[in-house]
Amino acid sequence: MAVTGGRPRLATHGLRVSLGGTGVLNGVDLEVGAGELLAIIGPNGAGKSTLLRTLDGLQPSYAGGVEVDGRPVGGYRRRELARVVSFVPQNDVPADDYTVRAFVEMGRYPHLAAWSALTAEDRRAVDEALELTEIEHLTARSMKTLSGGERQRVWIAAALAQGGTILLLDEPTSFLDYRHQVQILDLLGRLHAEGGYTVVAVTHDLNGLVADADSVLGLVDGRVEFSGPPAALFDGAVLARIFGSDFVLVAGGRHGLPLVMPARVGS
Ligand code: ADP
Ligand code: MG
């Protein structure tokens, strides 16, 4: 995988994870350089979410190596890791009722001393995150009343307020309509291109998020089936190997890449 010089910010070596007695990750090697955007793709059940959780130190037992900024992820204290890595899970409505501002403020918890209130610096980080994600007008709203696209931006705002410069996102554009998909893609593009964030996103959005990525990791059954730039991925045989389905490629995608879509019999 292309590393843009210097030490990788994230790395795994021969990573294996078993859940319920089954191998879910079966020897995954990856490296993500500083400022790089990595897209992780693969069929349902391939182990993509498990890989993200492991990179965020949330998988207690694994074999092989997982390193964040050159240090084993298990060697970080939880709060310390949370200041470096922010994880946006496949989100849903939180069980408890929060206003948008209160939810984004929770992103600051890794920075707060026990029982202490937000400092001026915490407030500044929250305000900046609200501004970057363009949700300032929503701060007083209940999370339960938001549209899916609005809620996704709030989750990203909480991750940004957290202050880490490595962002892990699990299917950030799934379930969004087209306008909201584009908003999230533009936001991630800005964070990556202008903000210097290192971004790892699990996605099925081949023509959007994958086409924008610096590199792509294709997982199948917990193994790396593909690793390389989007241009090498956009090949009918490669896509078929990953997804077990035929694809049609036509000219006209982003960055001079083809557009890809699943082929259907009789179309
Ligand atoms: P993906 O995100 O690629 O769809 P996941 O990482 O969520 O895949 O899951 C990979 C595999 O691990 C799936 O087969 C899933 O059923 C299994 N799995 C996930 N969590 C557990 C668990 N706690 N116990 C047993 N199997 C699990
Ligand atoms: Mg998943």
Side-chain angles (χ1 to χ4, degrees):
M1 187 150 306
V3 172
T4 49
R7 185 176 67 180
R9 299 217 61 195
L10 294 172
T12 70
H13 311 284
L15 173 62
R16 292 176 179 274
V17 171
S18 288
L19 297 172
T22 309
V24 170
L25 296 177
N26 300 303
V28 172
D29 294 304
L30 75 80
E31 284 193 357
V32 190
E36 194 175 350
L37 170 55
L38 171 73
I40 299 177
I41 61 168
N44 296 331
K48 305 180 296 296
S49 296
T50 304
L51 178 56
L52 275 197
R53 280 201 307 276
T54 307
L55 290 171
D56 194 32
L58 297 173
Q59 174 56 40
S61 63
Y62 59 84
V66 181
E67 284 166 19
V68 176
D69 287 335
R71 283 173 52 197
V73 74
Y76 284 79
R77 284 176 296 115
R78 188 70 218 150
R79 281 161 62 92
E80 183 190 10
L81 186 66
R83 290 183 213 136
V84 181
V85 181
S86 294
F87 180 33
V88 180
Q90 245 183 313
N91 79 71
D92 207 344
V93 187
D96 295 319
D97 200 12
Y98 294 103
T99 65
V100 166
R101 177 170 275 278
F103 192 81
V104 176
E105 284 177 352
M106 284 197 295
R108 294 301 294 172
Y109 280 9
H111 298 268
L112 301 184
W115 309 113
S116 66
L118 267 63
T119 63
E121 188 193 338
D122 295 322
R123 289 217 183 72
R124 192 163 51 244
V126 168
D127 288 341
E128 263 175 40
L130 293 167
E131 191 186 326
L132 262 172
T133 51
E134 297 173 347
I135 55 171
E136 294 131 305
H137 59 295
L138 299 174
T139 48
R141 288 267 296 276
S142 154
M143 289 288 279
K144 289 185 194 289
T145 68
L146 302 181
S147 73
E150 290 167 339
R151 195 155 45 238
Q152 184 62 272
R153 279 184 288 157
V154 176
W155 276 87
I156 294 173
L160 297 180
Q162 200 175 308
T165 53
I166 298 176
L167 286 184
L168 309 177
L169 303 109
D170 202 351
E171 301 198 27
T173 58
S174 295
F175 312 114
L176 300 184
D177 66 39
Y178 298 105
R179 183 168 69 92
H180 289 106
Q181 283 181 35
V182 168
Q183 272 180 1
I184 297 293
L185 293 181
D186 286 348
L187 170 61
L188 293 180
R190 262 186 290 133
L191 293 173
H192 162 242
E194 296 159 28
Y197 284 87
T198 300
V199 181
V200 178
V202 168
T203 186
H204 295 295
D205 181 11
L206 295 172
N207 295 308
L209 193 39
V210 172
D212 283 348
D214 298 306
S215 49
V216 187
L217 190 79
L219 281 186
V220 179
D221 293 335
R223 289 189 183 79
V224 177
E225 177 66 45
F226 174 86
S227 174
L233 170 74
F234 286 7
D235 170 294
V238 174
L239 290 164
R241 241 181 19 243
I242 297 170
F243 290 104
S245 175
D246 290 331
F247 284 78
V248 177
L249 286 78
V250 295
R254 286 171 68 71
H255 315 297
L257 294 164
L259 281 168
V260 296
M261 56 196 148
R264 296 183 62 196
V265 176
S267 60

Short mmCIF file of all heavy atoms in Angstrom, two decimals, residues 149-201:
data_model
loop_
_atom_site.label_atom_id
_atom_site.label_comp_id
_atom_site.label_asym_id
_atom_site.label_seq_id
_atom_site.Cartn_x
_atom_site.Cartn_y
_atom_site.Cartn_z
N GLY A 149 -28.93 12.18 7.27
CA GLY A 149 -27.77 12.95 6.82
C GLY A 149 -27.31 13.94 7.88
O GLY A 149 -26.11 14.13 8.08
N GLU A 150 -28.28 14.56 8.55
CA GLU A 150 -27.92 15.48 9.63
C GLU A 150 -27.24 14.73 10.76
O GLU A 150 -26.22 15.15 11.30
CB GLU A 150 -29.18 16.18 10.16
CG GLU A 150 -29.78 17.17 9.16
CD GLU A 150 -31.17 17.64 9.54
OE1 GLU A 150 -31.88 16.95 10.32
OE2 GLU A 150 -31.59 18.69 9.02
N ARG A 151 -27.82 13.56 11.11
CA ARG A 151 -27.27 12.79 12.22
C ARG A 151 -25.84 12.32 11.91
O ARG A 151 -24.97 12.33 12.77
CB ARG A 151 -28.17 11.60 12.55
CG ARG A 151 -27.86 11.00 13.89
CD ARG A 151 -29.05 10.28 14.49
NE ARG A 151 -29.71 9.46 13.51
CZ ARG A 151 -30.99 9.57 13.18
NH1 ARG A 151 -31.75 10.46 13.75
NH2 ARG A 151 -31.50 8.78 12.26
N GLN A 152 -25.60 11.95 10.66
CA GLN A 152 -24.25 11.51 10.29
C GLN A 152 -23.26 12.65 10.48
O GLN A 152 -22.15 12.45 10.98
CB GLN A 152 -24.24 11.01 8.83
CG GLN A 152 -22.93 10.44 8.37
CD GLN A 152 -22.49 9.22 9.15
OE1 GLN A 152 -21.82 9.33 10.18
NE2 GLN A 152 -22.88 8.06 8.69
N ARG A 153 -23.66 13.87 10.13
CA ARG A 153 -22.76 15.01 10.32
C ARG A 153 -22.51 15.28 11.80
O ARG A 153 -21.41 15.68 12.18
CB ARG A 153 -23.31 16.25 9.60
CG ARG A 153 -22.98 16.21 8.10
CD ARG A 153 -23.41 17.46 7.39
NE ARG A 153 -24.85 17.51 7.26
CZ ARG A 153 -25.54 18.64 7.10
NH1 ARG A 153 -24.93 19.80 7.07
NH2 ARG A 153 -26.86 18.59 6.98
N VAL A 154 -23.52 15.04 12.65
CA VAL A 154 -23.33 15.23 14.09
C VAL A 154 -22.32 14.21 14.63
O VAL A 154 -21.43 14.55 15.42
CB VAL A 154 -24.67 15.11 14.85
CG1 VAL A 154 -24.43 15.22 16.36
CG2 VAL A 154 -25.65 16.18 14.39
N TRP A 155 -22.43 12.96 14.18
CA TRP A 155 -21.46 11.95 14.62
C TRP A 155 -20.05 12.34 14.18
O TRP A 155 -19.09 12.17 14.94
CB TRP A 155 -21.82 10.57 14.02
CG TRP A 155 -22.84 9.83 14.81
CD1 TRP A 155 -24.20 9.93 14.69
CD2 TRP A 155 -22.61 8.84 15.83
NE1 TRP A 155 -24.81 9.08 15.57
CE2 TRP A 155 -23.87 8.40 16.27
CE3 TRP A 155 -21.46 8.31 16.40
CZ2 TRP A 155 -24.02 7.44 17.28
CZ3 TRP A 155 -21.60 7.35 17.39
CH2 TRP A 155 -22.88 6.93 17.81
N ILE A 156 -19.92 12.84 12.96
CA ILE A 156 -18.59 13.25 12.48
C ILE A 156 -18.11 14.46 13.29
O ILE A 156 -16.94 14.54 13.67
CB ILE A 156 -18.61 13.54 10.96
CG1 ILE A 156 -18.89 12.23 10.20
CG2 ILE A 156 -17.29 14.15 10.51
CD1 ILE A 156 -19.10 12.40 8.71
N ALA A 157 -19.03 15.39 13.62
CA ALA A 157 -18.66 16.55 14.44
C ALA A 157 -18.12 16.10 15.80
O ALA A 157 -17.12 16.62 16.29
CB ALA A 157 -19.85 17.48 14.62
N ALA A 158 -18.79 15.11 16.42
CA ALA A 158 -18.32 14.62 17.72
C ALA A 158 -16.93 14.01 17.58
O ALA A 158 -16.06 14.20 18.45
CB ALA A 158 -19.31 13.59 18.28
N ALA A 159 -16.70 13.31 16.47
CA ALA A 159 -15.37 12.72 16.22
C ALA A 159 -14.32 13.80 16.05
O ALA A 159 -13.20 13.69 16.55
CB ALA A 159 -15.42 11.81 15.00
N LEU A 160 -14.68 14.89 15.35
CA LEU A 160 -13.72 15.98 15.14
C LEU A 160 -13.45 16.72 16.45
O LEU A 160 -12.31 17.07 16.75
CB LEU A 160 -14.25 16.97 14.10
CG LEU A 160 -14.45 16.41 12.69
CD1 LEU A 160 -14.99 17.51 11.77
CD2 LEU A 160 -13.16 15.86 12.13
N ALA A 161 -14.51 16.93 17.25
CA ALA A 161 -14.34 17.62 18.52
C ALA A 161 -13.38 16.84 19.42
O ALA A 161 -12.65 17.40 20.23
CB ALA A 161 -15.68 17.81 19.21
N GLN A 162 -13.38 15.54 19.26
CA GLN A 162 -12.52 14.65 20.05
C GLN A 162 -11.04 15.01 19.85
O GLN A 162 -10.23 14.78 20.74
CB GLN A 162 -12.80 13.21 19.63
CG GLN A 162 -12.37 12.15 20.61
CD GLN A 162 -12.81 10.77 20.11
OE1 GLN A 162 -13.97 10.55 19.79
NE2 GLN A 162 -11.87 9.85 20.05
N GLY A 163 -10.72 15.55 18.68
CA GLY A 163 -9.39 16.13 18.48
C GLY A 163 -8.37 15.24 17.82
O GLY A 163 -7.27 15.68 17.51
N GLY A 164 -8.69 13.96 17.61
CA GLY A 164 -7.75 13.07 16.95
C GLY A 164 -7.64 13.40 15.47
O GLY A 164 -8.56 13.96 14.89
N THR A 165 -6.51 13.06 14.88
CA THR A 165 -6.34 13.35 13.46
C THR A 165 -6.39 12.08 12.62
O THR A 165 -6.07 12.10 11.44
CB THR A 165 -5.02 14.10 13.22
OG1 THR A 165 -3.96 13.34 13.82
CG2 THR A 165 -5.08 15.49 13.82
N ILE A 166 -6.77 10.96 13.25
CA ILE A 166 -7.07 9.74 12.50
C ILE A 166 -8.57 9.50 12.65
O ILE A 166 -9.08 9.38 13.76
CB ILE A 166 -6.30 8.53 13.04
CG1 ILE A 166 -4.79 8.74 12.91
CG2 ILE A 166 -6.73 7.25 12.30
CD1 ILE A 166 -3.94 7.62 13.50
N LEU A 167 -9.28 9.46 11.53
CA LEU A 167 -10.72 9.25 11.54
C LEU A 167 -11.04 7.89 10.95
O LEU A 167 -10.61 7.58 9.83
CB LEU A 167 -11.44 10.29 10.67
CG LEU A 167 -11.58 11.72 11.14
CD1 LEU A 167 -12.43 12.50 10.12
CD2 LEU A 167 -12.23 11.78 12.52
N LEU A 168 -11.79 7.08 11.70
CA LEU A 168 -12.25 5.78 11.20
C LEU A 168 -13.76 5.90 11.02
O LEU A 168 -14.46 6.29 11.97
CB LEU A 168 -11.95 4.67 12.20
CG LEU A 168 -10.51 4.58 12.73
CD1 LEU A 168 -10.42 3.46 13.77
CD2 LEU A 168 -9.54 4.32 11.59
N LEU A 169 -14.28 5.57 9.85
CA LEU A 169 -15.72 5.71 9.61
C LEU A 169 -16.28 4.43 9.02
O LEU A 169 -15.72 3.87 8.07
CB LEU A 169 -16.00 6.86 8.63
CG LEU A 169 -15.46 8.23 9.04
CD1 LEU A 169 -14.29 8.62 8.15
CD2 LEU A 169 -16.54 9.29 8.96
N ASP A 170 -17.39 3.96 9.60
CA ASP A 170 -18.01 2.72 9.12
C ASP A 170 -19.24 3.04 8.29
O ASP A 170 -20.27 3.45 8.82
CB ASP A 170 -18.38 1.82 10.31
CG ASP A 170 -18.51 0.35 9.90
OD1 ASP A 170 -18.48 0.07 8.68
OD2 ASP A 170 -18.62 -0.51 10.80
N GLU A 171 -19.11 2.89 6.98
CA GLU A 171 -20.20 3.13 6.02
C GLU A 171 -20.87 4.49 6.25
O GLU A 171 -22.07 4.58 6.51
CB GLU A 171 -21.23 1.99 6.09
CG GLU A 171 -20.59 0.64 5.78
CD GLU A 171 -21.61 -0.43 5.42
OE1 GLU A 171 -22.70 -0.07 4.93
OE2 GLU A 171 -21.30 -1.62 5.61
N PRO A 172 -20.06 5.57 6.11
CA PRO A 172 -20.60 6.90 6.44
C PRO A 172 -21.69 7.39 5.50
O PRO A 172 -22.41 8.32 5.87
CB PRO A 172 -19.36 7.81 6.37
CG PRO A 172 -18.41 7.11 5.47
CD PRO A 172 -18.64 5.64 5.72
N THR A 173 -21.81 6.82 4.31
CA THR A 173 -22.84 7.32 3.39
C THR A 173 -23.97 6.33 3.16
O THR A 173 -24.89 6.62 2.39
CB THR A 173 -22.23 7.70 2.01
OG1 THR A 173 -21.59 6.54 1.45
CG2 THR A 173 -21.23 8.82 2.13
N SER A 174 -23.92 5.18 3.85
CA SER A 174 -25.02 4.22 3.66
C SER A 174 -26.30 4.83 4.21
O SER A 174 -26.28 5.55 5.20
CB SER A 174 -24.72 2.92 4.40
OG SER A 174 -23.61 2.29 3.82
N PHE A 175 -27.37 4.54 3.63
CA PHE A 175 -28.71 4.98 4.06
C PHE A 175 -28.97 6.47 3.86
O PHE A 175 -29.95 6.99 4.37
CB PHE A 175 -28.98 4.62 5.54
CG PHE A 175 -28.64 3.19 5.85
CD1 PHE A 175 -27.61 2.89 6.71
CD2 PHE A 175 -29.33 2.15 5.24
CE1 PHE A 175 -27.27 1.57 6.98
CE2 PHE A 175 -29.00 0.84 5.50
CZ PHE A 175 -27.97 0.54 6.37
N LEU A 176 -28.08 7.16 3.16
CA LEU A 176 -28.32 8.58 2.93
C LEU A 176 -28.84 8.79 1.51
O LEU A 176 -28.44 8.08 0.58
CB LEU A 176 -27.03 9.38 3.10
CG LEU A 176 -26.37 9.32 4.47
CD1 LEU A 176 -25.16 10.24 4.51
CD2 LEU A 176 -27.35 9.67 5.58
N ASP A 177 -29.71 9.77 1.34
CA ASP A 177 -30.14 10.10 -0.03
C ASP A 177 -28.97 10.78 -0.75
O ASP A 177 -27.93 11.08 -0.15
CB ASP A 177 -31.42 10.94 -0.02
CG ASP A 177 -31.21 12.31 0.59
OD1 ASP A 177 -30.15 12.93 0.36
OD2 ASP A 177 -32.11 12.77 1.31
N TYR A 178 -29.13 11.06 -2.04
CA TYR A 178 -27.99 11.45 -2.87
C TYR A 178 -27.40 12.79 -2.42
O TYR A 178 -26.18 12.95 -2.38
CB TYR A 178 -28.41 11.48 -4.34
CG TYR A 178 -28.83 10.11 -4.79
CD1 TYR A 178 -30.17 9.80 -4.97
CD2 TYR A 178 -27.88 9.11 -4.96
CE1 TYR A 178 -30.55 8.52 -5.33
CE2 TYR A 178 -28.25 7.83 -5.32
CZ TYR A 178 -29.59 7.54 -5.49
OH TYR A 178 -29.95 6.27 -5.84
N ARG A 179 -28.26 13.74 -2.09
CA ARG A 179 -27.76 15.05 -1.68
C ARG A 179 -26.93 14.92 -0.40
O ARG A 179 -25.86 15.51 -0.28
CB ARG A 179 -28.94 16.00 -1.44
CG ARG A 179 -28.51 17.41 -1.07
CD ARG A 179 -29.68 18.37 -1.15
NE ARG A 179 -30.66 18.13 -0.09
CZ ARG A 179 -30.65 18.74 1.10
NH1 ARG A 179 -29.70 19.60 1.39
NH2 ARG A 179 -31.57 18.48 2.00
N HIS A 180 -27.43 14.11 0.55
CA HIS A 180 -26.69 13.96 1.80
C HIS A 180 -25.42 13.13 1.61
O HIS A 180 -24.42 13.36 2.28
CB HIS A 180 -27.60 13.37 2.89
CG HIS A 180 -28.64 14.34 3.35
ND1 HIS A 180 -29.96 14.24 2.99
CD2 HIS A 180 -28.52 15.46 4.09
CE1 HIS A 180 -30.62 15.26 3.53
NE2 HIS A 180 -29.78 16.01 4.21
N GLN A 181 -25.46 12.17 0.69
CA GLN A 181 -24.23 11.43 0.36
C GLN A 181 -23.16 12.40 -0.12
O GLN A 181 -22.01 12.35 0.30
CB GLN A 181 -24.48 10.42 -0.76
CG GLN A 181 -25.18 9.15 -0.32
CD GLN A 181 -25.36 8.19 -1.49
OE1 GLN A 181 -24.52 8.10 -2.37
NE2 GLN A 181 -26.47 7.49 -1.50
N VAL A 182 -23.55 13.28 -1.03
CA VAL A 182 -22.59 14.24 -1.60
C VAL A 182 -22.05 15.17 -0.51
O VAL A 182 -20.85 15.46 -0.47
CB VAL A 182 -23.26 15.04 -2.75
CG1 VAL A 182 -22.40 16.23 -3.17
CG2 VAL A 182 -23.52 14.12 -3.94
N GLN A 183 -22.92 15.60 0.40
CA GLN A 183 -22.47 16.45 1.51
C GLN A 183 -21.39 15.75 2.34
O GLN A 183 -20.38 16.36 2.70
CB GLN A 183 -23.63 16.77 2.45
CG GLN A 183 -24.41 18.00 2.06
CD GLN A 183 -25.55 18.26 3.03
OE1 GLN A 183 -25.73 17.51 4.00
NE2 GLN A 183 -26.31 19.29 2.77
N ILE A 184 -21.63 14.48 2.66
CA ILE A 184 -20.65 13.75 3.48
C ILE A 184 -19.35 13.53 2.69
O ILE A 184 -18.25 13.70 3.24
CB ILE A 184 -21.23 12.40 3.96
CG1 ILE A 184 -22.45 12.63 4.87
CG2 ILE A 184 -20.18 11.55 4.67
CD1 ILE A 184 -22.15 13.29 6.19
N LEU A 185 -19.47 13.18 1.41
CA LEU A 185 -18.26 12.99 0.60
C LEU A 185 -17.46 14.28 0.51
O LEU A 185 -16.23 14.27 0.61
CB LEU A 185 -18.62 12.50 -0.80
CG LEU A 185 -19.22 11.11 -0.89
CD1 LEU A 185 -19.51 10.74 -2.33
CD2 LEU A 185 -18.31 10.07 -0.25
N ASP A 186 -18.15 15.41 0.33
CA ASP A 186 -17.45 16.70 0.26
C ASP A 186 -16.76 17.01 1.58
O ASP A 186 -15.63 17.48 1.61
CB ASP A 186 -18.43 17.83 -0.09
CG ASP A 186 -18.84 17.77 -1.56
OD1 ASP A 186 -18.21 17.03 -2.32
OD2 ASP A 186 -19.80 18.48 -1.92
N LEU A 187 -17.47 16.72 2.68
CA LEU A 187 -16.90 16.97 4.01
C LEU A 187 -15.65 16.12 4.22
O LEU A 187 -14.59 16.62 4.62
CB LEU A 187 -17.94 16.68 5.09
CG LEU A 187 -17.45 16.65 6.54
CD1 LEU A 187 -16.87 18.01 6.94
CD2 LEU A 187 -18.59 16.26 7.47
N LEU A 188 -15.74 14.83 3.91
CA LEU A 188 -14.57 13.95 4.09
C LEU A 188 -13.44 14.39 3.18
O LEU A 188 -12.27 14.37 3.57
CB LEU A 188 -14.95 12.49 3.82
CG LEU A 188 -15.93 11.87 4.82
CD1 LEU A 188 -16.22 10.43 4.44
CD2 LEU A 188 -15.38 11.94 6.24
N GLY A 189 -13.78 14.80 1.95
CA GLY A 189 -12.77 15.28 1.01
C GLY A 189 -12.04 16.49 1.57
O GLY A 189 -10.81 16.59 1.48
N ARG A 190 -12.80 17.41 2.18
CA ARG A 190 -12.19 18.61 2.75
C ARG A 190 -11.29 18.26 3.93
O ARG A 190 -10.19 18.78 4.08
CB ARG A 190 -13.27 19.59 3.22
CG ARG A 190 -13.57 20.69 2.21
CD ARG A 190 -14.55 21.69 2.79
NE ARG A 190 -15.88 21.12 2.93
CZ ARG A 190 -16.66 21.23 4.02
NH1 ARG A 190 -16.22 21.86 5.08
NH2 ARG A 190 -17.85 20.70 4.04
N LEU A 191 -11.77 17.37 4.80
CA LEU A 191 -10.98 16.99 5.98
C LEU A 191 -9.67 16.35 5.56
O LEU A 191 -8.62 16.59 6.14
CB LEU A 191 -11.77 16.01 6.85
CG LEU A 191 -13.02 16.58 7.52
CD1 LEU A 191 -13.80 15.48 8.22
CD2 LEU A 191 -12.63 17.68 8.52
N HIS A 192 -9.76 15.54 4.51
CA HIS A 192 -8.60 14.80 4.02
C HIS A 192 -7.65 15.74 3.27
O HIS A 192 -6.46 15.81 3.56
CB HIS A 192 -9.10 13.65 3.15
CG HIS A 192 -8.09 13.06 2.25
ND1 HIS A 192 -8.21 13.07 0.89
CD2 HIS A 192 -6.93 12.43 2.51
CE1 HIS A 192 -7.16 12.48 0.35
NE2 HIS A 192 -6.38 12.08 1.31
N ALA A 193 -8.20 16.52 2.34
CA ALA A 193 -7.34 17.34 1.47
C ALA A 193 -6.82 18.58 2.19
O ALA A 193 -5.67 18.95 2.04
CB ALA A 193 -8.11 17.74 0.21
N GLU A 194 -7.69 19.23 2.97
CA GLU A 194 -7.30 20.52 3.58
C GLU A 194 -6.97 20.39 5.06
O GLU A 194 -6.16 21.12 5.59
CB GLU A 194 -8.43 21.55 3.41
CG GLU A 194 -8.70 21.87 1.95
CD GLU A 194 -10.10 22.47 1.74
OE1 GLU A 194 -10.62 23.09 2.67
OE2 GLU A 194 -10.65 22.28 0.64
N GLY A 195 -7.62 19.43 5.72
CA GLY A 195 -7.44 19.33 7.17
C GLY A 195 -6.29 18.42 7.57
O GLY A 195 -5.92 18.38 8.73
N GLY A 196 -5.75 17.68 6.60
CA GLY A 196 -4.63 16.80 6.91
C GLY A 196 -5.01 15.55 7.69
O GLY A 196 -4.14 14.85 8.20
N TYR A 197 -6.31 15.26 7.78
CA TYR A 197 -6.73 14.07 8.51
C TYR A 197 -6.33 12.81 7.76
O TYR A 197 -6.34 12.77 6.52
CB TYR A 197 -8.26 14.06 8.69
CG TYR A 197 -8.75 14.99 9.76
CD1 TYR A 197 -9.01 16.33 9.46
CD2 TYR A 197 -8.94 14.56 11.06
CE1 TYR A 197 -9.46 17.21 10.44
CE2 TYR A 197 -9.39 15.43 12.05
CZ TYR A 197 -9.65 16.75 11.73
OH TYR A 197 -10.08 17.61 12.70
N THR A 198 -5.99 11.79 8.51
CA THR A 198 -5.81 10.44 7.97
C THR A 198 -7.16 9.75 8.12
O THR A 198 -7.71 9.70 9.23
CB THR A 198 -4.72 9.71 8.77
OG1 THR A 198 -3.51 10.45 8.66
CG2 THR A 198 -4.51 8.29 8.25
N VAL A 199 -7.71 9.26 7.00
CA VAL A 199 -9.09 8.79 7.02
C VAL A 199 -9.14 7.33 6.54
O VAL A 199 -8.55 7.00 5.50
CB VAL A 199 -9.99 9.66 6.11
CG1 VAL A 199 -11.43 9.16 6.15
CG2 VAL A 199 -9.92 11.13 6.51
N VAL A 200 -9.81 6.48 7.31
CA VAL A 200 -10.07 5.11 6.89
C VAL A 200 -11.58 4.93 6.91
O VAL A 200 -12.22 5.10 7.96
CB VAL A 200 -9.41 4.08 7.84
CG1 VAL A 200 -9.76 2.66 7.41
CG2 VAL A 200 -7.91 4.28 7.88
N ALA A 201 -12.16 4.62 5.75
CA ALA A 201 -13.61 4.52 5.66
C ALA A 201 -14.01 3.19 5.04
O ALA A 201 -13.53 2.83 3.97
CB ALA A 201 -14.18 5.67 4.83
#
